[in-house]
Amino acid sequence: MAEFTMDLSEDQKQVRDWIHGFAADVIRPAAAEWDEREETPWPVIQEAAKVGIYSLDFYAQQFFDPTGLGIPMAMEELFWGDAGIALSIVGTGLAAIGVVANGTEEQIGTWIPQMYGTPDDVKVAAFCSSEPDAGSDVGSMRTRAVYDQAKDEWVLNGTKTWATNGGIANVHIVVAVVDPELGTKGHASFIVPPNTPGLSQGQKFKKHGIRASHTAEVVLEDVRIPGSCLLGGKEKLDERLARAHERARSGGGERVKNAAMATFEASRPAVGAMAVGTARAAYEVALDYAKTRTQFGRPIIDNQGVAFQLADMRTSIDAARLLVWRASWMAVAGKPFTSAEGSMSKLFASEVAKKVTAQAVQILGGNGFTREYPVERMHRDSAIYTIFEGTSEIQRLVIARTLSDMPIR
C-alpha cells in the first residue's frame, strides 16, 4: 500500500504532461466544432487511440497506479481540454468499470478489449442503468431479465435512457431486474454483445452541454443473450438472491450493494476529477482575461471585486482536488468510505465546477456570454456534474445516511 503523498512521482508527472499536451493540441482546437455539431468526435477518439490514450492498457495502467492518483490525474487533464470530447473518450470506461466491478476474470478478458476496438477500428461501449421512470430512484427500474433455462439464455425487455454511447456502442452493459420481490437487491448486470437482435437506439438527446458526447435511449425488445453474459455468473447471482431472501424473511438489516451502485461508487471520485478539470480550465481563462482586460486605465484584476473572486475560485478548485485525491487513495488502499468520502468528493467538486464556471463568465462580462470565448461552453458543460452518476441531492443523502446510520429520506 502506497503512503499518501501530494508529490507526484517523475513518472506521474510525465504521464500528466503527456495527457495535457494531447488535451491542448488535439482536444481544445476541436472543442467548439464538435460542440456545435453535437456529434461523436470519432476522429479525435481515433487520434487518442493512436497515441495510446484511448486503450485498455492506458486505463489499466492508471487504474493500478499504487497511489490511486492515476485515474483522477488523467481525468482532470482530459476534461481541462473539453468536457464533451473528453467524455466521448472516457465514456467507455464506465461500462468497463461495470464489468470489472461485477464480472468474472474470463468476462473481463473477453469483453473489455471489444469495448475499445483497435486504433484503426475504434469502438465504444455503453453502461445502461437509468430509465425514464428510474433515475435516482433505481428501485423503480422496470427493465426485466428472465432466464430461459432450456436454452441457457437471458431475455431482456425494457427501455434505458441517458446512456452515454447508447445505441452506437459495440458492447452495452445493461442493469435489469431479475427478482422484483427484492427491490434494488434483485438487480443484475448483463453484457449485450455487438449486433444482438432486439437492441436499438431510441431518442438521441440534444443537450445543454457536453454536446460532443452521444447520449440516447436504448430500447430492448426480446433481446436474447447467452447465459455467460450475466456478469458474475448465475451461480453467484443465485447465491446472492438466496441470501437476500433469507435476510428479508429474518428481518436482517445487512446492506447489499446492487450492480449499478457498485459501478457508480467506484467511479464517483473520477467524476469529481472531471469537474475539477473543467473548473480549472475556466479559472485559467478568467485569470488570463483579468490580467489583460483593461478598464478605467488598469487591468481588471487590480480591482478587489475581481481579484477576490479569482482567489476563491482557485481555493475551491484546490480543495476539490484534495477531496478527490483522498477518496482515490482510500479506494486503492482498501480503506472503507466510512464517511462516504467518495460521494463527498463528487458532491463538492461538482458544485465547485458550476460555481467557478459561472464566476468565469461573470469576470469576462459580455464576452463570457458569447461563444467567442470558451467559458460559455464550460459553464454549460459543468451543469452535468451535479446530475449524472448521482445528483448532488443523492450524494448528500448518501453522506447523511452514512454519518447518521439512519434511513433518511
Side-chain angles (χ1 to χ4, degrees):
M1 182 182 72
E3 294 297 324
F4 180 75
T5 176
M6 290 184 289
D7 288 328
L8 299 179
S9 68
E10 288 304 315
D11 287 344
Q12 288 174 319
K13 290 177 182 177
Q14 288 180 7
V15 172
R16 179 198 61 192
D17 293 345
W18 170 53
I19 301 170
H20 183 83
F22 182 84
D25 297 338
V26 181
I27 294 178
R28 278 207 169 176
E33 174 189 352
W34 291 99
D35 178 72
E36 289 288 344
R37 292 175 63 168
E38 299 191 53
E39 297 175 358
T40 301
W42 291 108
V44 182
I45 299 174
Q46 188 168 37
E47 285 299 312
K50 286 180 179 178
V51 301
I53 290 177
Y54 186 75
S55 71
L56 172 60
D57 288 344
F58 172 76
Y59 288 106
Q61 289 173 11
Q62 304 316 309
F63 183 81
F64 290 111
D65 182 328
T67 69
L69 302 185
I71 289 293
M73 183 179 64
M75 294 301 105
E76 179 177 339
E77 296 304 328
L78 289 171
F79 281 74
W80 172 90
D82 176 69
I85 292 178
L87 191 57
S88 288
I89 293 173
V90 308
T92 293
L94 185 60
I97 290 172
V99 175
V100 172
N102 302 295
T104 64
E105 290 186 7
E106 182 179 357
Q107 289 170 331
I108 292 170
T110 299
W111 293 106
I112 291 185
Q114 295 188 49
M115 294 179 174
Y116 289 95
T118 67
D120 294 325
D121 185 22
V122 294
K123 305 293 185 182
V124 295
F127 182 76
C128 308
S129 176
S130 294
E131 298 183 1
D133 295 320
S136 298
D137 181 13
V138 294
S140 296
M141 190 177 293
R142 295 180 180 177
T143 297
R144 288 293 308 276
V146 178
Y147 184 59
D148 183 340
Q149 187 170 0
K151 295 183 177 181
D152 185 26
E153 292 179 339
W154 288 91
V155 184
L156 277 61
N157 281 282
T159 299
K160 294 297 183 178
T161 193
W162 309 121
T164 298
N165 298 330
I168 66 170
N170 196 46
V171 177
H172 291 76
I173 304 301
V174 177
V175 182
V177 179
V178 295
D179 191 332
E181 294 181 6
L182 293 174
T184 59
K185 299 179 182 66
H187 295 177
S189 289
F190 298 86
I191 303 160
V192 181
N195 304 313
T196 298
L199 184 147
S200 62
Q201 179 183 308
Q203 176 187 5
K204 177 187 175 182
F205 296 104
K206 297 181 71 67
K207 306 187 298 293
H208 176 64
I210 55 168
R211 294 176 177 177
S213 174
H214 177 95
T215 310
E217 290 181 332
V218 174
V219 180
L220 304 125
E221 297 178 306
D222 291 329
V223 172
R224 285 185 168 269
I225 57 175
S228 60
C229 287
L230 165 65
L231 283 175
K234 194 167 188 304
E235 182 178 348
K236 183 178 178 181
L237 173 65
D238 289 343
E239 290 175 357
R240 177 167 64 83
L241 296 179
R243 290 196 303 269
H245 276 292
E246 179 60 30
R247 280 190 293 271
R249 286 192 295 267
S250 63
E254 182 181 349
R255 295 179 181 178
V256 179
K257 296 188 178 90
N258 65 38
M261 290 302 101
T263 301
F264 290 143
E265 182 172 308
S267 65
R268 277 170 180 161
V271 176
M274 298 173 188
V276 171
T278 299
R280 189 183 113 213
Y283 159 76
E284 289 176 0
V285 172
L287 178 63
D288 290 343
Y289 185 88
K291 288 179 178 179
T292 57
R293 173 67 168 173
T294 300
Q295 290 289 280
F296 303 106
R298 61 181 183 179
I300 62 173
I301 199 170
D302 281 358
N303 299 302
Q304 283 189 2
V306 174
F308 283 10
Q309 283 193 74
L310 289 162
D312 288 343
M313 292 159 74
R314 175 57 185 269
T315 300
S316 60
I317 291 168
D318 283 10
R321 183 184 298 108
L322 289 174
L323 283 172
V324 167
W325 282 18
R326 180 185 69 168
S328 300
W329 172 78
M330 289 178 67
V332 78
K335 295 183 178 294
F337 290 162
T338 55
S339 299
E341 287 86 353
S343 290
M344 284 185 184
S345 68
K346 198 267 186 185
L347 168 65
F348 189 77
S350 299
E351 296 292 342
V352 164
K354 283 187 68 173
K355 183 176 181 180
V356 165
T357 55
Q359 288 175 306
V361 170
Q362 189 68 24
I363 289 171
L364 269 67
N367 286 327
F369 201 65
T370 72
R371 295 188 183 181
E372 296 299 315
Y373 288 80
V375 292
E376 176 272 341
R377 184 179 67 253
M378 295 168 184
H379 184 43
R380 286 189 285 108
D381 291 342
S382 69
I384 194 60
Y385 299 126
T386 63
I387 298 172
F388 73 174
E389 295 195 49
T391 64
S392 287
E393 291 74 20
I394 289 297
Q395 305 309 321
R396 291 185 175 99
L397 187 63
V398 170
I399 296 166
R401 284 177 173 175
T402 303
L403 298 179
S404 66
D405 200 31
M406 296 292 287
I408 298 169
R409 296 180 182 274

